[in-house]
Amino acid sequence: MRRLMAANWKMYKTSAEAKDTLLLLAELLGNRSPEGREVLVFAPFTALEASAEAMRALHGGHVGAQNMYPAMEGAFTGEISPAMILASGASWVLIGHSERRHLLGESDEFIGRKVRLALQTGLNVMLCVGETLEEREQGALAGVLQRQISLALEGIEKEAMPHLAVAYEPVWAIGTGKSASSADIEEAHALLNQLLEKHFETTREIPVLYGGSVKPENAHSILALDNVDGVLVGGASLQAESFSRIVTA
Ligand code: 13P
């Protein structure tokens, strides 16, 4: 399974800052992603074009948007379409991040519409799933993941599998400095693989990444866990030095 080493820059970096960070990252990595690994950077909309341009300096690197609206165009003030993302030079889109689910009220159904249109348009999709602390304490982990996966992937067929990745991001581990334990990560990733195998009626082909307080110090041990095919990094991806240590961990 290929490994995806992904950065989610959230609402950080102007286009000039994004460019500088990526050029330094490329330099630190010797202008290529490590063998068997791809680097993916989810940049703010206003930095997509500059990031896609700068990413040319890094072989095996790709740029993605952090969200999109599920329509090709229309009267949707403040939104961005999958065609606009593609035209910027980006090839991926992050869908269903917990900050959008919880701060902006996105439903599983709405997320499913985005996944379908993104794939139809030719974007690669990283679907984010994960439970809140309250859901975990209620023993609802399996049910939450099942609901999030089945509604997000409704109508998505096997042909889409090469263009899909899933990121498990427990909400309580995001930005808290406290990553999930090895046992928690392995349990959730095993559940996700079962759900994906059931949905697509085939053995695992979709990378499942872990996200939530990944740092240079814990990346190696997280990447060594069963069924972990990469990491999705927030805070520790903002500095090229720190992210390059994660990419090579
Ligand atoms: P942190 O790495 O800052 O915890 O953020 C994780 C995240 O939300 C990545 O999408």
Side-chain angles (χ1 to χ4, degrees):
M1 180 81 72
R2 66 193 168 128
R3 298 205 152 197
L4 299 177
M5 313 303 286
N8 174 8
W9 282 349
K10 308 192 179 184
M11 201 173 73
Y12 293 95
K13 295 190 190 294
T14 62
S15 60
E17 290 164 347
K19 178 183 166 194
D20 289 349
T21 308
L22 287 178
L23 292 178
L24 180 56
L25 179 71
E27 191 185 318
L28 292 168
L29 293 172
N31 300 103
R32 54 176 54 246
S33 305
E35 186 70 29
R37 297 186 175 191
E38 288 172 42
V39 172
L40 246 166
V41 172
F42 293 98
F45 297 142
T46 50
L48 285 178
E49 210 162 312
S51 298
E53 180 68 31
M55 196 57 113
R56 292 187 194 191
L58 179 63
H59 184 79
H62 313 275
V63 170
Q66 299 168 14
N67 179 39
M68 55 162 258
Y69 191 81
M72 288 306 280
E73 59 182 4
F76 303 105
T77 303
E79 293 293 332
I80 188 167
S81 79
M84 293 170 185
I85 294 170
L86 273 176
S88 75
S91 52
W92 280 80
V93 63
L94 199 63
I95 295 182
H97 191 276
S98 80
E99 283 147 22
R100 299 208 60 87
R101 291 177 188 265
H102 300 290
L103 298 175
L104 293 146
E106 291 193 3
S107 68
D108 289 302
E109 288 77 9
F110 190 50
I111 288 164
R113 285 171 54 203
K114 296 185 189 200
V115 172
R116 284 189 288 284
L117 188 65
L119 290 169
Q120 274 169 26
T121 310
L123 282 165
N124 296 286
V125 170
M126 184 166 301
L127 169 69
C128 301
V129 297
E131 82 289 4
T132 62
L133 187 58
E134 197 184 358
E135 289 165 335
R136 168 163 283 266
E137 285 171 348
Q138 288 166 352
L141 173 69
V144 169
L145 296 181
Q146 200 265 332
R147 188 197 72 231
Q148 291 177 336
I149 289 289
S150 65
L151 293 174
L153 298 185
E154 204 178 301
I156 307 291
E157 313 220 341
K158 269 196 186 103
E159 294 70 52
M161 291 174 76
H163 304 288
L164 199 57
V166 171
Y168 169 61
E169 298 206 303
V171 179
W172 45 275
I174 295 177
T176 58
K178 190 179 173 293
S179 68
S181 70
S182 302
D184 290 342
I185 296 173
E186 285 186 335
E187 181 194 10
H189 282 234
L191 282 167
L192 285 168
N193 275 313
Q194 282 167 21
L195 292 166
L196 292 168
E197 283 175 18
K198 196 164 154 228
H199 179 89
F200 290 108
E201 297 173 334
T202 176
T203 49
R204 70 189 228 93
E205 274 175 44
I206 295 174
V208 181
L209 285 67
Y210 169 77
S213 298
V214 175
K215 308 273 179 250
E217 296 73 30
N218 62 15
H220 182 79
S221 55
I222 290 172
L223 287 161
L225 297 173
D226 280 351
N227 301 326
V228 174
D229 309 307
V231 286
L232 178 56
V233 189
S237 74
L238 293 171
Q239 303 297 330
E241 290 86 356
S242 149
F243 188 49
S244 76
R245 284 169 62 202
I246 293 174
V247 169
T248 53

